[in-house]
Amino acid sequence: MKHIKFIIALTLLSTLAFSQTDKRLKGIEKQFNSVLESTKAPGFAVAIVEGDKIIYAKGFGYADYENKVPADANTLFAIGSTTKAFTSALLGLHRENDELSFDDSPRKHIKELEFFNNDMNNQITIKDLMRHSTGLPRHDGSWYFFPSHDKDSLVAKIKYHEPFTGVRQQWYYNNFGFLLQGVITERITGKTWEDNIENEFFEPLGMNRSNTTIEAMKSSSNAALGYKLDAERNIEKTDYYDIAAMSPAGSINSSVNDMSQWLITWINNGKYKDEQIIPENYVKEAMSSQMVVAAGLPSEELPEAQFANYGYGWFLHSYKGHYMVEHGGNIDGFSASVALYPSDSLGIVVLANQNGSQVPKLIRNIAADYMLKVNKTEWAKKHKEDTEKALEALEEAKEDMGISNVKNTKPSHTKIDYTGAYENKGYGKFDIVMENDSLFSELNEDRQYLNHFHYDTFEFIDVKNGKVDTTAIGSSIKINFSTNTAGDIDYGHIDIEGLLDPIAFKRTPNTIDVDAKTLEQYVGKFDLMGQEIKAYIKDENVLYVFVPGQPEYALVPTATHKFNFKTLEGFKVEFIESDDKSINEVKFIQPNGTFVAKRKVED
């Protein structure tokens, strides 16, 4: 027992040692606490490394806001897209082992991979995946709204992802490029990306608390909960988001103490405790400009900012005359910043449990100002002033803000006509159902109310605790329905990829079960302008129609007496019930018109 107490005491002493203030950091914690206050963040942790040492590591605020559990340097946070540098570094190891070239086509290593067109298939290289130069926009809705735990199923979607420009014509962020890097690692090693991260980085760097899954995060001690600010700027708890198969783009959970080992490795040319963890030539290449992101012109705020480029899993900037290599991370309830100043042998990591937060950037910049001995910007004060101005502008805008819909319009169809399954092969499938005269979308056990906006446009409104969130009306994601020549709703178009036209989801009408006895009433011969048409049953209670000179057509029941042709889009059949409940007529509804056939009287 005494031995255990001694170990615990030693651990506490080592943690406390990191949080003792370096003389250069005198007064910094007052600035840190000001950021915590002005952002209304539940908590964050920050570590600063210099050379091969951690000179500062400490938590502020709470890992668990409701229960007032403090955050510390060992608290686990989701680090989001700062995962990307880990994923690309694995490829650096493969190249060092002559297992690939960055100029290889990714299709050399993932045989089933296809892009949207032949130009992309023939031109995209692994390097394009690493530096975001494929010509693809984000297409994040494809994995965020339609998640999967199967990496191969996400790879299959890429074939249907439309580019917005040519290969290597323009930088644009794309998470699928990092998914593919992770899959390449899996194909080369025969092990999962998760196992490779554990074996190649976590274990040799002593990142013993870090993990790659939400399941591991949930079962870990001292793990932060995620939060956001609601519409009234109150702190609200959020659920963990399981990034699932998109893990190579952003699934790592870590602490600032663990991430400090990662920083030390990078600012020491890939070495950690004299062991070469990442090849030195890769480290230098990854931290150098591989693609121009934007002009990166100096601003009044940062007059010495001179460029904005991208390496491999790293953004590149200048900060007050110092070369900065950094990447942010955002995932539901969490934000992060990992920054290197290689010429200064300096590294800073900030992890926060607030959604879409400015905390990591603000804390990083405050720490950099102190460590780089540059003129200090009052970042906490500036953020507070900027936030107050933004909130005032928002309140003024609300007074003039109205819903921009066309008033007094109606949908072109009855509500039941919008129900069905909607699918886009590059994204996924969701259902629209009707309940109590209202339309709802259903996806992964999540349900949203479809509020009529105008004409054939509806908007997805969250349902919370069984109630529709009316505050979101007018400002939510919208779906516009289109009609084919037969008058059916054929597609739902959703604007979830801003650089492209709305993504089209093909509608398949809901089907109903019809027993053999019910189908028997439709069987017979019908006369259509002198042509005999037969209706009959075969293939285990499937109704068919046969028109002379054409193949037989299987019918799919969609409503009482109504059927769709299984293989012909826009072609329908409706059997007409007489007053005596018998079926003596049938309508053939097709793009070029509607034709009525009458039942033939048998001799």
Side-chain angles (χ1 to χ4, degrees):
M1 183 63 74
K2 287 181 179 179
H3 181 64
I4 293 171
K5 286 181 179 178
F6 176 72
I7 292 172
I8 293 170
L10 245 157
T11 304
L12 285 171
L13 281 171
S14 63
T15 302
L16 287 170
F18 289 150
S19 67
Q20 296 303 305
T21 306
D22 184 288
K23 290 180 180 179
R24 291 168 292 181
L25 302 178
K26 184 178 180 181
I28 199 170
E29 291 189 359
K30 182 179 179 181
Q31 295 292 316
F32 287 171
N33 281 310
S34 294
V35 169
L36 193 68
E37 180 183 353
S38 68
T39 58
K40 290 193 171 184
F44 69 87
V46 54
I48 303 171
V49 304
E50 187 175 44
D52 61 355
K53 294 181 174 61
I54 303 173
I55 66 167
Y56 184 91
K58 190 174 181 180
F60 293 79
Y62 301 107
D64 178 344
Y65 182 77
E66 288 80 10
N67 295 303
K68 299 298 181 280
V69 177
D72 60 40
N74 289 314
T75 300
L76 287 180
F77 295 80
I79 73 168
S81 286
T82 62
T83 297
K84 288 181 169 62
F86 288 83
T87 296
S88 289
L90 288 174
L91 299 193
L93 293 175
H94 298 322
R95 185 178 67 175
E96 187 73 5
N97 296 331
D98 294 324
E99 294 165 321
L100 57 71
S101 164
F102 292 172
D103 292 322
D104 286 347
S105 167
R107 302 178 72 212
K108 176 180 177 180
H109 302 275
I110 308 173
K111 302 300 183 183
E112 73 275 20
L113 173 63
E114 289 186 67
F115 291 101
F116 190 78
N117 56 43
N118 285 333
D119 282 346
M120 298 174 76
N121 284 331
N122 296 330
Q123 293 186 45
I124 289 175
T125 65
I126 290 174
K127 186 181 292 185
D128 292 316
L129 307 178
M130 300 170 75
R131 65 187 183 184
H132 297 298
S133 56
T134 60
L136 286 164
R138 295 181 70 116
H139 285 295
D140 279 341
S142 176
W143 63 267
Y144 187 85
F145 295 121
F146 302 90
S148 170
H149 283 274
D150 178 9
K151 293 186 181 75
D152 290 343
S153 72
L154 292 184
V155 170
K157 292 182 178 184
I158 293 172
K159 176 181 179 180
Y160 304 98
H161 288 178
E162 185 179 354
F164 78 100
T165 189
V167 179
R168 291 183 287 282
Q169 295 299 303
Q170 185 177 332
W171 180 92
Y172 206 83
Y173 201 83
N174 181 273
N175 283 298
F176 278 90
F178 282 79
L179 163 73
L180 292 177
Q181 291 175 63
V183 174
I184 289 171
T185 285
E186 294 186 340
R187 300 296 170 88
I188 287 174
T189 64
K191 297 184 295 186
T192 66
W193 170 86
E194 290 80 1
D195 285 344
N196 278 285
I197 292 293
E198 180 78 29
N199 297 337
E200 300 294 345
F201 300 133
F202 290 173
E203 289 180 5
L205 295 179
M207 298 176 67
N208 300 320
R209 287 187 49 72
S210 300
N211 59 62
T212 57
T213 67
I214 285 297
E215 289 76 13
M217 177 79 154
K218 289 178 178 178
S219 63
S220 297
S221 61
N222 194 8
L225 302 176
Y227 297 89
K228 65 178 181 180
L229 291 179
D230 65 17
E232 304 301 322
R233 288 184 59 78
N234 296 313
I235 296 173
E236 180 182 344
K237 185 180 173 183
T238 63
D239 293 330
Y240 287 132
Y241 178 78
D242 187 358
I243 198 171
M246 191 52 78
S247 50
S251 74
I252 290 176
N253 308 300
S254 191
S255 68
V256 296
N257 270 344
D258 272 14
M259 288 296 290
S260 293
Q261 317 311 317
W262 179 244
L263 291 172
I264 287 170
T265 304
W266 278 87
I267 60 178
N268 286 279
N269 297 316
K271 279 189 176 182
Y272 181 75
K273 294 182 178 178
D274 297 323
E275 182 180 353
Q276 196 72 45
I277 303 298
I278 310 171
E280 182 175 356
N281 63 341
Y282 173 78
V283 168
K284 292 179 177 178
E285 191 176 337
M287 293 196 298
S288 64
S289 297
Q290 301 299 328
M291 194 71 183
V292 173
V293 174
L297 296 172
S299 64
E300 183 179 345
E301 180 183 282
L302 294 173
E304 294 176 307
Q306 296 162 353
F307 62 95
N309 294 350
Y310 202 83
Y312 299 144
W314 294 107
F315 285 97
L316 313 173
H317 310 282
S318 63
Y319 179 77
K320 296 187 177 182
H322 293 257
Y323 193 86
M324 180 171 73
V325 179
E326 61 87 21
H327 210 292
N330 286 286
I331 197 70
D332 295 32
F334 294 90
S335 302
S337 177
V338 178
L340 308 164
Y341 305 81
S343 301
D344 303 283
S345 294
L346 176 68
I348 302 169
V349 55
V350 188
L351 306 177
N353 57 339
Q354 184 182 56
N355 191 63
S357 180
Q358 290 294 304
V359 167
K361 177 182 176 181
L362 295 168
I363 298 298
R364 179 197 73 205
N365 287 351
I366 291 169
D369 285 354
Y370 275 78
M371 291 300 298
L372 297 174
K373 298 179 181 178
V374 295
N375 291 330
K376 295 181 177 66
T377 301
E378 293 188 59
W379 290 107
K381 179 182 177 183
K382 185 179 186 310
H383 175 263
K384 185 176 181 180
E385 292 171 350
D386 290 346
T387 300
E388 288 172 353
K389 289 177 183 177
L391 291 173
E392 287 175 8
L394 181 61
E395 285 302 314
E396 291 175 5
K398 281 182 180 178
E399 294 177 5
D400 300 325
M401 194 182 297
I403 299 177
S404 59
N405 60 336
V406 180
K407 312 300 181 189
N408 302 317
T409 62
K410 294 181 179 180
S412 62
H413 290 61
T414 59
K415 289 179 181 177
I416 193 67
D417 289 343
Y418 297 91
T419 62
Y422 289 77
E423 183 176 17
N424 178 287
K425 292 182 179 180
Y427 279 67
K429 179 189 287 187
F430 66 95
D431 294 301
I432 292 180
V433 300
M434 192 169 79
E435 186 176 296
N436 297 329
D437 202 36
S438 294
L439 292 175
F440 294 88
S441 67
E442 293 182 341
L443 171 63
N444 300 327
E445 299 181 359
D446 289 330
R447 170 176 278 210
Q448 290 182 298
Y449 171 68
L450 283 186
N451 179 61
H452 181 244
F453 188 72
H454 60 201
Y455 298 111
D456 277 337
T457 299
F458 293 71
E459 55 184 347
F460 297 95
I461 307 295
D462 288 337
V463 179
K464 297 180 179 179
N465 300 319
K467 295 182 179 180
V468 174
D469 180 14
T470 56
T471 63
I473 290 176
S475 59
S476 297
I477 294 174
K478 296 171 180 60
I479 179 169
N480 176 255
F481 296 96
S482 60
T483 305
N484 63 20
T485 53
D488 293 324
I489 301 296
D490 58 354
Y491 284 92
H493 305 266
I494 308 176
D495 193 3
I496 49 176
E497 180 44 68
L499 293 180
L500 301 173
D501 290 336
I503 305 299
F505 289 80
K506 180 75 177 71
R507 174 179 176 261
T508 300
N510 289 331
T511 60
I512 62 172
D513 293 326
V514 180
D515 59 34
K517 183 178 179 181
T518 301
L519 288 179
E520 285 289 348
Q521 66 183 319
Y522 307 123
V523 172
K525 298 176 182 178
F526 296 84
D527 180 76
L528 179 63
M529 295 182 290
Q531 194 172 39
E532 183 178 90
I533 295 174
K534 295 179 181 178
Y536 50 91
I537 299 171
K538 69 172 194 175
D539 297 340
E540 297 184 4
N541 297 331
V542 177
L543 186 66
Y544 282 79
V545 294
F546 175 73
V547 179
Q550 297 184 36
E552 60 179 4
Y553 296 108
L555 302 181
V556 178
T558 59
T560 303
H561 301 323
K562 295 181 179 181
F563 297 79
N564 282 3
F565 281 67
K566 187 174 183 179
T567 57
L568 291 178
E569 184 180 341
F571 288 74
K572 299 185 293 184
V573 169
E574 181 179 352
F575 292 89
I576 309 301
E577 187 178 81
S578 301
D579 291 340
D580 62 359
K581 303 298 182 181
S582 63
I583 301 295
N584 293 312
E585 292 183 340
V586 58
K587 288 183 182 178
F588 290 88
I589 304 164
Q590 52 198 59
N592 63 332
T594 298
F595 305 91
V596 179
K598 296 184 179 297
R599 184 183 290 276
K600 295 182 70 173
V601 178
E602 299 293 339
D603 295 332

